[in-house]
Amino acid sequence: TRRLSELSTFPSLGRLLPEYFVAHQSRSYGFAPSSRLVSEQNSAPNPKTAQLRQPPRSGWPGAAAAILAAVLSSAFVCSPVYAAPRPLGPVVAPTIATLDADARASGNRRASATAIGRALFTTEWPAQVLNVYADGVGSHEVAGLRISGVKFHRRIGRLQFIAEVRALIERTFAAAPVGEVDVWAQIPIPVRKGAVVSGDKAVPTSRNVFTITVRRGESASSMTARMLDGTNVYWDEEWAGSAFKVMR
C-alpha cells in the first residue's frame, strides 16, 4: 500500500503506477480510489460528482492503467537512456591536386593514372602537365604525360625544362607500378574557321615539339644525358629556340 505523499517523492515513478493513475482519476472525476491505496485527500467521493457510480475495482480502467504502466515502464524505466547520435567528423574537402588528378586521368588503367596525377599536381610546374595516361596489358603498364609547350608558368631555359621532365618521370615511377614513361610536349596549331576538329576527318590541332621514352631502371644521369645530346629524344629546335630564348 502506498500513500500519495510517498509517491510525490518520486513523481516520475508515481506516474507509472496503476494506483497513482486511479487516484488521479479520483481527484479529477470523482471516482473512489482503489482499495489498495490509502489516500489522505481522496477518502470520500467528490460531493459534486457523488452521483457517479464507482466503477468496478477489477474493471477496464484498472486493467488499462496496468497495461499503460507496463508499457511506459518498459519504454522509459527499463530501457537504456537515449543517447543522441554523435556528430560525424568534419568533412574534408578534396584538394586541388586530387581534383586535377581525377579530371585529367585517362587510359584503361585509370587508377594508376589518378595515383600519378596526385603525385604530380601537388607541384606547380613551369611547363604545365595537361594530361596523365596509363594503359596496360596484363602486368605491363605504360604511363604517358602530356605537357604544354607554351604559356609556361615562369621563365625557364632548356636546362630547367630538362630538370622538370626528369622530376616528372621520377615521380611517376614512384607513384605507380609502370614499366615505362612517355613524355611529350605539345603546342597548338592554328586552325582555320570551320575546319573539322573531331572524327575521322579531323585536322590536327596540336603538334609535338619534344618527346622522350624512359624505361624503369634507367638512371637519372642517363636520361639527363640523352636529353642533352638528343639520343632517342625528339626536340623541335625551332620551338626550343623560341620557347627558351630568355634563358639558355
Side-chain angles (χ1 to χ4, degrees), residues 8 66 96 105 131 137 154 165 170 174 191 193 230 232 246-247:
S8 63
I96 298 298
N131 296 97
V137 176
R154 56 181 178 271
V165 171
E170 290 174 340
V191 178
K193 185 177 181 180
N232 295 325
V246 178
M247 298 177 64

Side-chain angles (χ1 to χ4, degrees), residues 17-228:
L17 295 176
E19 50 266 44
Y20 185 90
F21 175 84
V22 175
H24 177 73
Q25 295 295 90
S26 300
R27 289 181 177 179
S28 303
Y29 305 110
F31 295 161
S34 169
S35 60
R36 293 180 297 163
L37 182 68
V38 178
S39 171
E40 298 166 348
Q41 301 178 13
N42 292 303
S43 56
N46 189 327
K48 297 180 181 180
T49 57
Q51 70 274 15
L52 296 176
R53 190 173 62 180
Q54 178 181 349
R57 298 181 183 273
S58 59
W60 171 247
I67 293 172
L68 176 63
V71 171
L72 294 178
S73 177
S74 173
F76 297 103
V77 177
C78 300
S79 300
V81 177
Y82 171 75
R86 291 180 295 178
L88 299 176
V91 177
V92 179
T95 64
I96 298 298
T98 300
L99 295 175
D100 282 344
D102 292 340
R104 304 187 186 200
S106 298
N108 64 7
R109 298 294 172 88
R110 186 177 174 83
S112 292
T114 302
I116 295 168
R118 290 176 180 174
L120 299 183
F121 293 126
T122 56
T123 300
E124 183 182 71
W125 305 95
Q128 182 183 5
V129 179
L130 301 175
N131 296 97
V132 178
Y133 304 89
D135 291 285
V137 176
S139 61
H140 183 67
E141 292 187 25
V142 176
L145 309 178
R146 185 170 75 95
I147 63 179
S148 175
V150 296
K151 298 181 179 180
F152 299 143
H153 287 156
R154 56 181 178 271
R155 294 186 302 173
I156 59 173
R158 184 186 289 254
L159 294 179
Q160 287 74 29
F161 181 82
I162 290 174
E164 176 181 333
V165 171
R166 182 181 65 238
L168 290 172
I169 292 172
E170 290 174 340
R171 286 199 192 183
T172 298
F173 280 130
V178 296
E180 180 181 307
V181 179
D182 299 327
V183 181
W184 62 97
Q186 289 187 333
I187 63 173
I189 298 175
V191 178
R192 64 179 176 82
K193 185 177 181 180
V196 178
V197 296
S198 62
D200 296 337
K201 298 182 179 181
V203 298
T205 57
S206 62
R207 66 184 181 90
N208 294 342
V209 292
F210 169 85
T211 62
I212 184 174
T213 297
V214 178
R215 296 190 177 185
R216 183 179 289 275
E218 183 176 0
S219 65
S221 59
S222 174
M223 74 175 81
T224 300
R226 288 202 294 118
M227 285 188 280
L228 287 172

